Amino acid sequence: MVNLEQIDKNRIPRHVAIIMDGNGRWAQQRGQERSFGHQAGAETVNTISETAARLGVEFLTLYAFSTENWNRPEKEVQALMQLFIESLKEEVLMKNNLRFRIIGDRERLPLDVRECIDRCEADTDKNTGMTLVLALSYSSRWELTHTMKVLAQQVQDGTIRPCDISEESVAQQLNTAFMPNPDLLIRTGGELRLSNYLLWQCAYTELYFCDTYWPDFSANDFYQAIIDYQHRERRYGKTREQIQ
Ligand code: IPE
Ligand code: IPE
Ligand code: MG
């Protein structure tokens, strides 16, 4: 078990992104349907949100449903959409002073899911605690393609010139424009890949992979990831001497 004194309170990552993977395998190991694992995973979302907020993380971005996940069997997609509606509880967000946002292609989500999201975003907008972001119907390539269309349109309209396009102006058009880049990215479930998640934003993010399936991921596992992060040296292309 982690002793909380091992965590340096002055070096808490501002933004933690998580690829919550392994729900299906967790359920199958128990002889259950995959959706049982998604339900268990929703509980973990509550635990880890609380843990992160208590530590002082400012932004927690959770990959809940990718653009590619639309290709899963219809039954599983429907169960997930239903679960989003059931788990998004305004009372809980309000009680914990969380600001709720989503990133992703909202147009593709069913109307009842969109209504629920709109309500949670509007009602929690003035909260001052951690921002909890769900990536729903999200993929980086979708986001970047969308951004390119917006910028191309601005050029065509004459509001900007091609030479005005900069890293900053691209970043401002991304869904994630309201938050800093992730400092730490955690992927549970044992796979060593990014699965189309925050590719632009993670250019200098510290990566942490663990085998634990998401439903089993505990506050202690989260602390382990934070401690690991705190031992990294972030050089951004410079030399160690320049950093010190
Ligand atoms: C992650 O768990 C949740 C979603 C992608 C919605 P998975 O459903 O991918 O679980 P595994 O990877 O098949 O175990
Ligand atoms: C990534 O997990 C998406 C989410 C966690 C929502 P997947 O299970 O869909 O990723 P792959 O298919 O293993 O790369
Ligand atoms: Mg998976």
Side-chain angles (χ1 to χ4, degrees), residues 215-241:
D216 286 334
F217 191 76
S218 64
N220 196 63
D221 294 322
F222 187 76
Y223 296 144
Q224 290 283 5
I226 300 289
I227 291 170
D228 198 278
Y229 163 83
Q230 292 187 333
H231 287 94
R232 310 279 181 95
E233 182 177 65
R234 304 185 74 186
R235 290 193 291 275
Y236 299 96
K238 293 183 180 170
T239 66
R240 164 169 285 180
E241 289 69 30

Side-chain angles (χ1 to χ4, degrees), residues 19 133 181 190 223:
I19 302 177
V133 184
N181 289 323
Y223 296 144

Side-chain angles (χ1 to χ4, degrees), residues 184-210:
L184 169 65
L185 175 113
I186 300 171
R187 181 171 188 145
T188 65
E191 309 295 357
L192 306 179
R193 55 177 171 256
L194 295 178
S195 303
N196 218 346
Y197 192 42
L198 301 173
L199 301 181
W200 169 284
Q201 296 86 342
C202 284
Y204 271 105
T205 298
E206 298 298 327
L207 308 180
Y208 181 88
F209 296 96
C210 70

Side-chain angles (χ1 to χ4, degrees), residues 77-199:
V77 172
Q78 276 181 5
L80 278 163
M81 293 301 143
Q82 192 51 41
L83 183 63
F84 297 141
I85 295 175
E86 284 163 17
S87 337
L88 269 177
K89 296 214 175 71
E90 277 157 277
E91 319 86 81
V92 180
L93 295 166
M94 292 308 283
K95 191 186 83 193
N96 293 309
N97 192 23
L98 299 176
R99 196 157 66 107
F100 176 79
R101 298 291 292 266
I102 79 150
I103 55 172
D105 186 1
R106 6 180 128 218
E107 303 301 312
R108 238 178 132 172
L109 295 166
L111 188 62
D112 49 357
V113 176
R114 252 186 289 162
E115 283 172 354
C116 177
I117 288 165
D118 290 346
R119 207 172 40 244
C120 287
E121 284 183 331
D123 292 353
T124 64
D125 193 45
K126 298 271 168 345
N127 286 352
T128 53
M130 185 181 77
T131 303
L132 174 64
V133 184
L134 277 195
L136 265 188
S137 190
Y138 173 87
S139 76
S140 261
R141 288 184 179 180
W142 165 81
E143 182 186 41
L144 286 164
T145 306
H146 176 75
T147 295
M148 288 177 207
K149 284 184 194 158
V150 171
L151 292 171
Q153 189 65 52
Q154 290 177 354
V155 170
Q156 196 180 40
D157 295 345
T159 49
I160 60 166
R161 295 164 300 169
C163 63
D164 295 327
I165 297 175
S166 61
E167 287 193 17
E168 289 72 27
S169 70
V170 172
Q172 272 165 24
Q173 291 301 335
L174 297 173
N175 272 210
T176 52
F178 62 93
M179 53 184 170
N181 289 323
D183 299 295
L184 169 65
L185 175 113
I186 300 171
R187 181 171 188 145
T188 65
E191 309 295 357
L192 306 179
R193 55 177 171 256
L194 295 178
S195 303
N196 218 346
Y197 192 42
L198 301 173
L199 301 181

Side-chain angles (χ1 to χ4, degrees), residues 19-21 63-66 69 72 135 187 191 193 195:
I19 302 177
M20 311 185 287
D21 198 23
Y63 206 4
F65 193 84
S66 72
N69 289 150
R72 289 195 177 188
R187 181 171 188 145
E191 309 295 357
R193 55 177 171 256
S195 303

